[in-house]
Amino acid sequence: MLKKRSLFKKLKKIGIRSSDTILIHSSFKRLGKQKFEPKSFLVLLEEYMKKGTIVFPTFTWKRSKKLKRFNFYKDSSESGILSEKFRNKYPLNRSFHPTHSLVAKGKNSDKIINIKNNLIKSPCGKGSSWEKLLKLKTKILLIDTLIDSCTLVHYFEEKYNSNFFLSKKWTSYICKKKGHSDIKIKIKDHRPGRRSFYKFFFELQKRKQIRQDFLGEVSFICFDSFDLEKIGKHLFLKDKKASF
């Protein structure tokens, strides 16, 4: 009960309401040291978000890029233990994208994982589930991780300078879904290279749009996607390679 009260208090303090749509990037190691279990932590999170929507990335880009295949049901998430547990809990609630899939549960989940949002020509661009998250005014929650985990920045790379940030070549992926014929999807992958998203974080800080609190030593950072969208436009219009 103490863990529940502490977690709920932190979520409320950083501006997350039970009716929000939240996108979570997470590292669970230090939460585990505080005697949380991934399964029970997700139960508490769902209880708090009972009127809203929870979204986790379930990326498979390492495996998919190597094999050029994606299995909707079987391929495990490469985005941490919480996202993998959530994927296993809701196996049908995953978006159909070979490298940058999501799992979503709640009132807006059907809008986010609709297959029309994922048969696109890039990982995170126009028409994708990531654009849908922006339209839904999603809040981004970083649990014991930092801005470099924030995949939404890739959306702005694609929007403002796709010629630089997307590969010139098309990559074909064979996507498998139980009970359906295999689908071949051609995508222009993200340009390889080390990114730095800290300009975006510092700009959020400067505008006082970062909300942070701690559960023991574990950092909880929250900010609004519409604030990030304004900053993305601001930074990329100043520098077309703002994240590189």
Side-chain angles (χ1 to χ4, degrees):
M1 186 62 71
L2 181 61
K3 288 181 182 178
K4 175 179 173 178
R5 287 200 302 266
S6 298
L7 177 61
F8 286 14
K9 183 179 178 180
K10 299 304 175 186
L11 294 174
K12 185 177 181 180
K13 190 171 180 180
I14 60 175
I16 294 175
R17 299 170 299 180
S18 64
S19 58
D20 286 334
T21 296
I22 59 169
L23 169 65
I24 302 173
H25 297 280
S26 61
S27 172
F28 196 77
K29 185 176 181 179
R30 292 200 292 180
L31 275 172
K33 290 181 178 179
Q34 295 191 38
K35 309 302 182 184
F36 280 101
E37 294 290 336
K39 185 177 179 180
S40 58
F41 183 85
L42 289 173
V43 168
L44 291 177
L45 193 61
E46 286 189 82
E47 182 180 342
Y48 184 85
M49 295 298 301
K50 58 190 174 185
K51 297 178 183 178
T53 308
I54 298 171
V55 186
F56 280 95
T58 52
F59 298 160
T60 54
W61 61 270
K62 291 179 183 177
R63 176 186 172 86
S64 296
K65 283 187 177 183
K66 181 179 179 180
L67 301 178
K68 303 298 185 287
R69 300 185 69 85
F70 170 63
N71 190 311
F72 172 87
Y73 289 104
K74 293 184 177 180
D75 286 354
S76 57
S77 169
E78 298 168 0
S79 305
I81 191 169
L82 285 181
S83 77
E84 175 60 5
K85 292 290 185 182
F86 208 63
R87 181 192 73 84
N88 279 319
K89 189 172 184 179
Y90 301 108
L92 298 179
N93 286 43
R94 190 182 201 177
S95 62
F96 196 72
H97 193 283
T99 59
H100 285 68
S101 63
L102 299 164
V103 60
K105 178 63 177 176
K107 66 178 181 180
N108 288 321
S109 58
D110 288 345
K111 297 176 184 177
I112 295 164
I113 63 174
N114 189 310
I115 193 168
K116 292 179 182 178
N117 298 335
N118 298 286
L119 297 178
I120 61 166
K121 305 305 181 185
S122 68
C124 304
K126 185 175 176 58
S128 70
S129 291
W130 300 91
E131 184 177 61
K132 192 65 180 179
L133 289 173
L134 286 172
K135 291 180 179 178
L136 289 169
K137 294 182 169 53
T138 298
K139 290 180 178 175
I140 297 143
L141 174 60
L142 307 178
I143 301 178
D144 218 30
T145 188
L146 299 172
I147 190 75
D148 52 348
S149 300
C150 184
T151 305
L152 266 173
V153 177
H154 290 305
Y155 171 81
F156 308 117
E157 292 178 342
E158 294 187 32
K159 180 175 182 177
Y160 293 107
N161 195 0
S162 60
N163 288 335
F164 178 78
F165 284 104
L166 293 178
S167 169
K168 303 299 181 187
K169 297 180 180 179
W170 294 92
T171 301
S172 293
Y173 293 94
I174 302 299
C175 301
K176 186 175 184 63
K177 190 173 184 181
K178 189 176 180 180
H180 295 76
S181 300
D182 290 355
I183 298 175
K184 181 183 284 188
I185 300 178
K186 284 187 174 183
I187 293 174
K188 285 190 174 182
D189 290 315
H190 285 149
R191 181 189 184 103
R194 194 170 182 83
R195 305 292 206 271
S196 176
F197 294 170
Y198 284 94
K199 290 180 187 176
F200 299 82
F201 187 80
F202 295 149
E203 193 67 31
L204 284 165
Q205 276 190 324
K206 187 170 75 173
R207 300 182 186 198
K208 298 182 178 179
Q209 293 166 342
I210 292 284
R211 303 178 294 277
Q212 183 176 21
D213 204 357
F214 291 84
L215 189 59
E217 295 181 348
V218 179
S219 167
F220 283 70
I221 295 172
C222 182
F223 51 91
D224 297 309
S225 62
F226 57 81
D227 288 329
L228 186 66
E229 187 172 19
K230 292 174 185 175
I231 286 167
K233 181 178 181 180
H234 169 72
L235 291 177
F236 275 105
L237 291 180
K238 281 175 57 178
D239 176 5
K240 291 292 186 181
K241 300 178 183 178
S243 61
F244 209 68

